[in-house]
Amino acid sequence: MLVLVVNCGSSSLKYQVREVAAGTDGGTVLTSGLVENIGGPQVRDHTEALELLARRLDEELGGRTVDAAGHRVVHGGERFSAPVLVTHEIVREIERLAPLAPLHNPAAVLGLRAVLRTWPHLPQVAVFDTAFHRSMPEHVWRYAVPEEFYERWGIRRYGFHGTSHDWVTGRAAQFLGVPREDFHAVVAHLGNGASVTAVRGGRSYDTSMGYTPLAGLVMGTRTGDLDPSVVTSVLRRDPSMTPEALDGLLNTASGLRAIAGHHDMRTVQEAADRGDERAELALEMAAHRLAKYVGGYHVAVGGARALVFTAGIGENAAAFRARVCGRLGALGVVLDDDANAARSRGTRRISAPGSGLEVLVVPTDEEQAIAAATAELVAGTAAG
Ligand code: ADP
């Protein structure tokens, strides 16, 4: 089956076509690319982007046609706990969730509608970033705020990066030879955005991102956890500050960028290696925050078997992994320094024998996960 994987932004559309055989894991990439500057003079809207994509695929696939499309959708609210086949009603529901993801969901809706228009008979699947976290129990997803916040505005913990956490959890359990339903772990997805998930019995039990992706870890440009009074206090003290401006500062001018002056882990690490004290402080803050979560989640899942690192920083930043694991002595964690330093692309163990938690690096692949979910749902529907 040929699956088109679509990740739609407001002005760009990223795509991949994968060949997925039945019962396999998301298959191999046949072609991939990007349509940019949607809304500009060349590509006026998402429908034009899709027409352009259809022409490209005609050339790039040598006359073969795609059998299904899988879309990355950021917010599935409380309704979606798994990938779904897309209907007009589903698109309207994703649109209704826009207040929860004002930048992302409207873009996904444009992509979904454009595909419906261009290929009306193509089965489409929506895969939600929040879905994996729907297994969190209420005492975990509730905030201790007046009931009205939840009832009126849906304010609660949703969690994000679910497609990645889910995929990486499956891979790690497989690598260790543990049945997924018996697998307890802490999974750290560390990219520009970063979140950590407590996995109990193979499912999400808790996660560091919350109502929005601003919560939790110290990230490239996001603050992560913060006393909420900081927000009200700044708004009160600075009459020129607006909620939008403050939102921008907390999302794009905070995190590593605020402390070290750079948001990119490689740059921050290089600066710290040269003795830059701000960069060193930023790394200590980020590592402390993550280690605190690992300790808490280890307890929350009743004893994790593994700590799993993934995404750009998790897969590549050996020095940062060592900085975090160096704080986990109380859990008996011991890294194998050579294994941690070795550069390799596959799933691997980087802890020493006898380590209190096995420490793994598992490369994530959200496109592959979306392709696998899409193929499974479409094949299942065709067969059933
Ligand atoms: P996104 O969230 O945008 O998908 P990625 O998962 O690609 O982000 O992660 C980007 C982060 O990974 C950046 O901070 C980058 O510096 C970091 N990174 C990538 N390669 C390395 C490396 N070799 N060493 C340290 N950090 C790295």
Side-chain angles (χ1 to χ4, degrees):
M1 181 185 295
L2 292 196
V3 179
L4 169 67
V5 178
V6 183
N7 186 348
C8 225
S10 52
S11 67
S12 71
L13 184 157
K14 238 165 74 182
Y15 67 92
Q16 238 185 35
V17 177
R18 303 184 77 106
E19 174 137 41
V20 190
T24 61
D25 246 3
T28 49
V29 182
L30 297 187
T31 182
S32 65
L34 181 68
V35 180
E36 283 180 292
N37 300 321
I38 303 175
Q42 316 267 306
V43 188
R44 273 180 307 170
D45 56 22
H46 284 72
T47 302
E48 282 198 9
L50 251 291
E51 284 161 8
L52 182 69
L53 174 59
R55 285 198 297 277
R56 274 199 207 170
L57 293 185
D58 271 346
E59 287 168 26
E60 293 171 2
L61 298 175
R64 297 178 72 189
T65 53
V66 298
D67 301 296
H71 291 254
R72 171 169 188 247
V73 181
V74 165
H75 222 299
E78 294 202 311
R79 167 154 172 195
F80 299 109
S81 55
V84 287
L85 272 169
V86 173
T87 60
H88 288 284
E89 194 270 326
I90 295 283
V91 178
R92 280 194 297 275
E93 183 65 22
I94 294 170
E95 200 168 31
R96 269 196 288 275
L97 295 169
L100 295 174
L103 293 179
H104 294 106
N105 273 34
V109 166
L110 290 171
L112 288 159
R113 292 220 164 105
V115 173
L116 281 169
R117 228 169 278 134
T118 311
W119 294 300
H121 302 295
L122 188 72
Q124 292 198 75
V125 171
V127 180
F128 301 93
D129 256 14
T130 50
F132 182 56
H133 303 299
R134 291 286 289 117
S135 50
M136 292 187 297
E138 183 167 359
H139 66 270
V140 170
W141 61 250
R142 273 281 184 175
Y143 290 131
V145 292
E147 176 102 11
E148 190 194 8
F149 292 17
Y150 170 59
E151 298 296 341
R152 282 184 69 181
W153 298 307
I155 291 177
R156 50 160 287 178
R157 181 185 306 282
Y158 291 100
F160 299 88
H161 290 144
T163 307
S164 174
H165 285 297
D166 185 13
W167 175 259
V168 164
T169 297
R171 287 285 165 117
Q174 208 173 30
F175 179 83
L176 294 171
V178 186
R180 183 165 175 151
E181 58 275 20
D182 299 333
F183 187 48
H184 303 335
V186 180
V187 179
H189 174 112
L190 310 177
N192 282 314
S195 69
V196 53
T197 292
V199 171
R200 188 148 107 171
R203 307 171 74 194
S204 172
Y205 182 77
D206 197 353
T207 193
S208 60
M209 283 179 170
Y211 173 59
T212 72
L214 186 56
L217 302 174
V218 175
M219 308 179 215
T221 63
R222 295 188 197 130
T223 158
D225 293 337
L226 189 73
D227 180 342
S229 306
V230 173
V231 173
T232 43
S233 173
V234 170
L235 287 174
R236 214 177 288 124
R237 287 177 191 198
D238 180 350
S240 70
M241 184 66 75
T242 62
E244 291 69 29
L246 186 49
D247 203 41
L249 291 175
L250 297 176
N251 273 288
T252 65
S254 298
L256 299 179
R257 171 174 282 166
I259 306 301
H262 306 281
H263 74 278
D264 189 272
M265 177 55 90
R266 260 172 305 204
T267 316
V268 177
Q269 185 65 57
E270 282 159 16
D273 291 346
R274 287 194 307 269
D276 182 321
E277 287 175 12
R278 305 307 294 176
E280 179 63 24
L281 174 63
L283 292 174
E284 284 290 285
M285 290 169 64
H288 169 72
R289 181 84 54 86
L290 176 52
K292 217 161 62 163
Y293 268 99
V294 175
Y297 285 176
H298 178 61
V299 171
V301 303
R305 163 88 183 259
L307 166 61
V308 187
F309 286 101
T310 194
I313 295 168
E315 291 166 34
N316 300 299
F320 187 69
R321 290 193 302 252
R323 199 183 278 266
V324 173
C325 290
R327 297 178 136 78
L328 300 176
L331 304 182
V333 169
V334 185
L335 271 196
D336 174 335
D337 293 330
D338 292 335
N340 183 44
R343 296 200 59 80
S344 148
R345 297 193 68 78
T347 294
R348 57 200 185 272
R349 182 187 280 105
I350 59 168
S351 50
S355 174
L357 274 73
E358 304 210 52
V359 185
L360 307 182
V361 175
V362 178
T364 193
D365 190 335
E366 287 170 280
E367 283 81 13
Q368 194 174 351
I370 291 170
T374 302
E376 194 186 319
L377 205 58
V378 170
T381 314

